[in-house]
Amino acid sequence: MRVRAFYLDLAHWATEEPARWGPWVVRCPISDDEIRKAKERKHRKARMDQRTRERLPVLPVLVSTANRRRLAAFELLRTAQATEPGTVIPGTEGSLRRAVTSKAAGHLTWAEETATGRRRNLSFEEEEAFWAFAAVEVLRLTGIRNEELLELTHHSVTQYRLPTTGEIVPLLQIAPSKTDTERLLLVSPELADVLSAIVRRLRGPAGAIPLAPFYDVREKVWNPPMPLLFQRQIGTEQRAFTPTFLRTLLIGAIAATGLIDSAGAPLTISPHDFRRIFVTDAIMNGLPPHIAQVICGHKNIDTRMGYKAVYPAETIEAHRAFIARRRSTRPSEEYRTPTEEEWDAFLAHFEKRKVSIGTCGRAFSTPCVHEHACVRCALLRPDPDQRSRIEEIRDNLIARTAEAEREGWLGEVEGLKVSLAGAEEKLAQVDALVKRQSIAVELGMPGVRQPAGTTEATRATP
Ligand code: SF4
């Protein structure tokens, strides 16, 4: 394209200054066929589709492995912290010993393998396992891009109370970028769990998430410190995650599954794979930006989020300025005032989500793609109060399946079995939800995190 542009430039200049440029005008040696990208695009799409097909079925394995890995790393770290330095860590079958470290590295817990003497930073392993789990979950449940994930802040988690029913709709605000519109995504219960685990991990004794500055690679500016959801402490500094660190986390998470691709090589996964899987699995749109703007409007952002007591005013101002700057890079028609009909349609969408056995989780402006066969649908969030109704549906399906088998209605048996599997899954979801809600969460005692290198003597110095 560049070479062709050069030849075209020569032809254009020749019309303005024929004596100077005319002798250089010749036919471009790059033919039309050579710049046609259709074939290459088709190949790339086929490659990407193949990638998605390979990764979609293994996603549940990745999710459960990431969760197991973080729980195991947390348990190992906790056990190691309770072990005397120099002694074997219980539960490791004698393979790990807590290492003796200098006071300077006191906030880190080290262990060494008894067989090889190799030292392992258990604090870092736990941190890595947690953030890999968090990244996998947020990416798979939202389908957002990696740069959008790295820009999520505590302010991005917002809520809207429906004026008619008073129902609270939790939402996740995705900041507008040069290449995509601003969106508000519905927060599912699973996503809410992960977000609350992140917030709980980062939150200081005052309830606020530490503020971390981050560099906008595309706009080449430093953003003011914000309560980013993906940040970590390095030494005494809070640093935002980088795209490289995010990729490293995902590589570690997929390597732990031991999965291989069709060529027999270890499977790899990138943040964008989750987006493709998400789109393939369940097409979900965010709210249109002009409605997002009204909900996240400047007027009531602080009162609705309840952050006033937690964050200084300038942090909220910085967040507003960040969103305003990004909005200014988008076409202005995206932020027109919604019409009466559009606003009514928005409210009606959330009011119409209630179905007999729970709540429909489909996104705004998306139609029901499953013809209201809610019991089979992955988007249904079953209501624990409706357990008996789901049981009734399940029993009815069992009876109908038995009748269809008896009468030889084989065409119907298959469909009934799919519905039956769906009903049983919904019952399992209800049980899991009830169990999760009955577990008390140990929040621990708030404490002051000591920076690395702080000793008893320096701590005592006023
Ligand atoms: S079938 Fe699925 S998408 Fe349709 S209303 Fe029921 S839960 Fe919602």
Side-chain angles (χ1 to χ4, degrees):
M1 290 294 288
R2 281 181 194 176
V3 172
R4 274 178 71 87
F6 176 60
Y7 279 80
L8 276 176
D9 279 349
L10 285 176
H12 180 78
W13 298 334
T15 60
E16 290 168 356
E17 285 184 77
R20 186 173 177 193
W21 299 109
W24 300 101
V25 176
V26 288
R27 191 184 156 81
C28 176
I30 311 283
S31 68
D32 275 357
D33 282 352
E34 282 171 294
I35 58 159
R36 256 188 219 127
K37 294 267 185 217
K39 215 170 181 180
E40 193 193 312
R41 249 185 261 132
K42 226 154 96 186
H43 283 167
R44 195 186 321 135
K45 173 144 185 3
R47 256 195 339 266
M48 289 302 134
D49 289 350
Q50 175 60 18
R51 223 183 133 90
T52 307
R53 272 196 296 276
E54 268 180 10
R55 282 151 187 79
L56 183 57
V58 301
L59 191 61
V61 181
L62 173 62
V63 170
S64 63
T65 311
N67 192 27
R68 270 204 313 276
R69 186 167 161 247
R70 97 167 153 127
L71 294 174
F74 175 74
E75 204 46 52
L76 180 60
L77 177 65
R78 210 167 56 168
T79 316
Q81 282 168 341
T83 308
E84 274 300 304
T87 57
V88 167
I89 300 171
T92 58
E93 290 160 3
S95 63
L96 270 186
R97 181 192 307 123
R98 174 147 186 204
V100 182
T101 50
S102 66
K103 267 196 172 172
H107 66 290
L108 298 176
T109 304
W110 287 82
E112 49 195 28
E113 292 174 1
T114 47
T116 60
R118 189 172 77 90
R119 280 165 79 97
R120 284 170 51 183
N121 183 342
L122 299 186
S123 305
F124 180 70
E125 283 180 18
E126 190 276 334
E127 186 179 69
E128 199 187 10
F130 175 84
W131 287 113
F133 157 82
V136 166
E137 287 287 10
V138 175
L139 286 170
R140 93 176 166 98
L141 292 168
T142 57
I144 56 176
R145 297 185 176 82
N146 66 339
E147 61 269 21
E148 291 169 338
L149 176 109
L150 300 179
E151 283 174 358
L152 288 180
T153 73
H154 204 180
H155 303 305
S156 311
V157 186
T158 177
Q159 61 187 41
Y160 182 71
R161 186 186 285 276
L162 293 176
T164 43
T165 58
E167 186 194 348
I168 288 185
V169 182
L171 299 158
L172 187 69
Q173 184 185 19
I174 309 298
S177 68
K178 243 188 179 151
T179 49
D180 208 352
T181 53
E182 179 173 352
R183 283 160 294 150
L184 274 180
L185 304 179
L186 265 184
V187 174
S188 64
E190 298 82 22
L191 181 59
D193 271 0
V194 180
L195 292 175
S196 69
I198 294 173
V199 171
R200 214 164 52 222
R201 186 180 179 97
L202 293 174
R203 210 148 51 176
I209 289 181
L211 307 180
F214 75 98
Y215 185 65
D216 194 322
V217 185
R218 279 158 205 263
E219 291 182 35
K220 311 226 173 340
V221 288
W222 276 96
N223 283 307
M226 290 204 235
L228 295 173
L229 292 188
F230 283 83
Q231 59 166 290
R232 60 186 176 139
Q233 191 178 18
I234 298 182
T236 54
E237 263 183 61
Q238 288 301 134
R239 298 234 189 120
F241 279 21
T242 60
T244 313
F245 184 58
L246 183 64
R247 263 197 304 277
T248 312
L249 289 176
L250 295 181
I251 291 170
I254 194 104
T257 62
L259 292 166
I260 50 168
D261 62 15
S262 52
L267 200 69
T268 57
I269 199 154
S270 71
H272 210 74
D273 285 322
F274 289 97
R275 186 167 166 80
R276 281 190 213 102
I277 290 171
F278 179 85
V279 173
T280 311
D281 198 31
I283 303 223
M284 202 164 159
N285 301 314
L287 292 183
H290 62 293
I291 294 192
Q293 184 196 25
V294 175
I295 297 175
C296 293
H298 288 185
K299 264 194 226 130
N300 56 359
I301 193 166
D302 46 1
T303 48
R304 196 170 26 73
M305 288 177 175
Y307 288 151
K308 228 174 173 166
V310 178
Y311 292 107
E314 54 273 22
T315 313
I316 296 171
E317 286 307 323
H319 174 73
R320 289 176 183 172
F322 166 67
I323 295 289
R325 197 186 75 226
R326 286 295 186 77
R327 281 178 178 167
S328 69
T329 64
R330 302 290 313 163
S332 57
E333 62 269 19
E334 279 179 11
Y335 292 110
R336 63 190 168 79
T337 312
T339 61
E340 286 281 313
E341 293 78 48
E342 282 172 334
W343 189 248
D344 288 346
F346 162 70
L347 293 180
H349 168 80
F350 291 99
E351 283 159 15
K352 282 187 198 153
R353 291 186 320 154
K354 196 88 195 121
V355 292
S356 62
I357 49 175
T359 310
C360 169
R362 72 177 189 270
F364 175 71
S365 86
T366 54
C368 167
V369 284
H370 300 121
E371 295 165 355
H372 296 274
C374 302
V375 83
R376 292 174 172 201
C377 179
L379 295 174
L380 178 84
R381 293 175 204 150
D383 180 356
D385 292 341
Q386 302 300 332
R387 195 182 195 287
S388 58
R389 194 185 281 264
I390 306 173
E391 269 175 335
E392 215 175 278
I393 294 173
R394 188 219 25 214
D395 296 344
N396 179 275
L397 284 167
I398 292 173
R400 281 174 60 196
T401 311
E403 185 193 7
E405 279 173 344
R406 206 171 47 243
E407 301 293 333
W409 303 330
L410 297 183
E412 209 167 314
V413 171
E414 215 169 280
L416 286 169
K417 282 189 174 161
V418 176
S419 299
L420 182 58
E424 275 162 358
E425 197 196 317
K426 296 289 169 258
L427 284 172
Q429 280 176 17
V430 167
D431 293 342
L433 187 68
V434 171
K435 193 170 157 209
R436 204 172 57 214
Q437 284 173 348
S438 63
I439 297 171
V441 178
E442 169 60 55
L443 294 176
M445 287 299 290
V448 180
R449 202 189 277 181
Q450 291 298 334
T454 312
T455 62
E456 285 302 329
T458 55
R459 239 176 270 156
T461 312

